[in-house]
Amino acid sequence: MKPFTFMRSLRNKLLSTLLIIHLLMIGGVSWYFFSCYGDMIGTMKDDQLSKIADAWATNKQIPALMPLMVPADKLKSAFVVQLWDADGQLRASSWPELHAPLQAKKGYHDADVGGCHDCEWRIYTRPGQPGSDIKTIQVMHNLSYMKELMVKRALSAIVPLILMMPLSLLVIWLVVRKITRDLRVASRQIAAQETHHPHNVSPDGLPDEILPLVAAYNSLLDKLRAAWSAQRQFLEDAAHELRTPVTAVTLQLENLRQHIQQGEAS
């Protein structure tokens, strides 16, 4: 089984780290925008609900409400008004087909009306003015439509980050390519050196992070040169010390040879 070597590459490490940072940033921005935008829109919508209800509460008699004249796909983006009498009967509604029940308590409520996936409504309920035919006023808007709108706004906010991701990865890839190219130049310098005459590697153009490695390599070469020089000096001294005795012995043999007769020598 081959070992996992993908993360041993400096380029792969930087690209993977940048990708993770971008994904975390996109997720964080999406959550923050969705949360802040949701709180802002929710507060604004609640304020509009109460103001619409307060405006209808000024009527003494129950007026006839005109049905909402908006396209079907925009119907859930509108505010719906319901007017109830003292007997708990719905007397007027701007969307008669929407059968939203009368809430038992006053104030804000979230209710599921219709049993569908996008039928969650935000309802504000308040009593009418004393002496008015309007006993209760309910104003509501569709929460599912608002959440869908919030998701679209959050996605539009992270589009620049998504578009910047390939550009950032490309820039990092080019920078790492330049760094690795300098390292390849240094490695070729080392490989091209002669065995018996190595020379120091020049630190020019190399990243600061690689300079300690180059300095250590050059220091090692200096130590090797010093060791080779000491070894060569030792051999020269040894040869000099051995040369004198050998020469003396050779001379003695030559002198003896002159005093020995030919027959005696044999």
Side-chain angles (χ1 to χ4, degrees), residues 11 171-185 204-207:
R11 180 187 306 169
V171 170
I172 291 296
W173 185 83
L174 292 176
V175 171
V176 176
R177 182 184 179 187
K178 174 64 170 57
I179 295 174
T180 54
R181 183 173 59 187
D182 295 336
L183 293 178
R184 286 193 296 269
V185 171
D204 297 338
L206 295 178

Side-chain angles (χ1 to χ4, degrees), residues 45-222:
K45 289 284 188 180
D46 285 350
D47 185 61
Q48 290 177 331
L49 290 177
S50 64
K51 288 182 178 180
I52 293 174
D54 292 342
W56 281 101
T58 59
N59 293 281
K60 294 297 183 180
Q61 296 180 346
I62 299 178
L65 294 179
M66 293 291 295
L68 294 172
M69 304 298 294
V70 295
D73 57 339
K74 299 293 184 180
L75 194 59
K76 290 186 177 181
S77 64
F79 291 97
V80 179
V81 179
Q82 292 181 331
L83 305 178
W84 302 76
D85 60 15
D87 297 328
Q89 298 295 321
L90 179 62
R91 298 292 302 274
S93 174
S94 60
W95 189 355
E97 294 80 7
L98 181 64
H99 303 290
L102 177 63
Q103 302 300 306
K105 296 182 179 181
K106 312 308 178 183
Y108 296 98
H109 310 276
D110 295 336
D112 188 9
V113 180
C116 55
H117 72 282
D118 59 348
C119 293
E120 186 179 3
W121 292 79
R122 180 72 167 173
I123 303 175
Y124 176 72
T125 306
R126 65 150 291 169
Q129 296 291 345
S132 172
D133 294 339
I134 304 175
K135 180 64 176 179
T136 307
I137 304 167
Q138 282 194 161
V139 185
M140 64 192 75
H141 72 87
N142 188 268
L143 276 179
S144 301
Y145 175 83
M146 188 184 73
K147 291 179 179 179
E148 181 181 353
L149 183 63
M150 290 164 50
V151 170
K152 291 180 179 179
R153 294 291 186 271
L155 292 177
S156 64
I158 64 175
V159 167
L161 295 177
I162 296 176
L163 295 179
M164 286 177 59
M165 184 185 300
L167 179 61
S168 301
L169 294 177
L170 177 61
V171 170
I172 291 296
W173 185 83
L174 292 176
V175 171
V176 176
R177 182 184 179 187
K178 174 64 170 57
I179 295 174
T180 54
R181 183 173 59 187
D182 295 336
L183 293 178
R184 286 193 296 269
V185 171
S187 64
R188 284 195 294 267
Q189 291 179 5
I190 296 174
Q193 294 187 19
E194 298 181 6
T195 305
H196 300 289
H197 301 284
H199 57 274
N200 291 352
V201 177
S202 175
D204 297 338
L206 295 178
D208 293 341
E209 292 77 9
I210 307 300
L211 294 183
L213 178 61
V214 175
Y217 175 78
N218 292 336
S219 176
L220 177 62
L221 287 183
D222 293 337

